[in-house]
Amino acid sequence: MSNLEEKFPRSLWIRLIIYIAVGHVFAAFLYLLFALGGKG
């Protein structure tokens, strides 16, 4: 695990986690929008 941590700095991991979280929230928002729009 230490070898992997040397290759990727902590700031890169934090940025990656933020990007993934924002992407999931955005995708959930779009899904909700289409789901509600489809019913209405």
Side-chain angles (χ1 to χ4, degrees):
M1 189 65 187
S2 60
N3 190 19
L4 192 68
E5 286 180 0
E6 286 175 12
K7 201 175 292 183
F8 294 105
R10 186 178 295 271
S11 58
L12 192 69
W13 279 115
I14 292 171
R15 194 181 302 170
L16 193 69
I17 290 170
I18 289 172
Y19 280 151
I20 290 171
V22 169
H24 276 80
V25 168
F26 186 68
F29 175 72
L30 282 180
Y31 174 76
L32 198 66
L33 205 69
F34 279 113
L36 292 175
K39 288 180 182 177

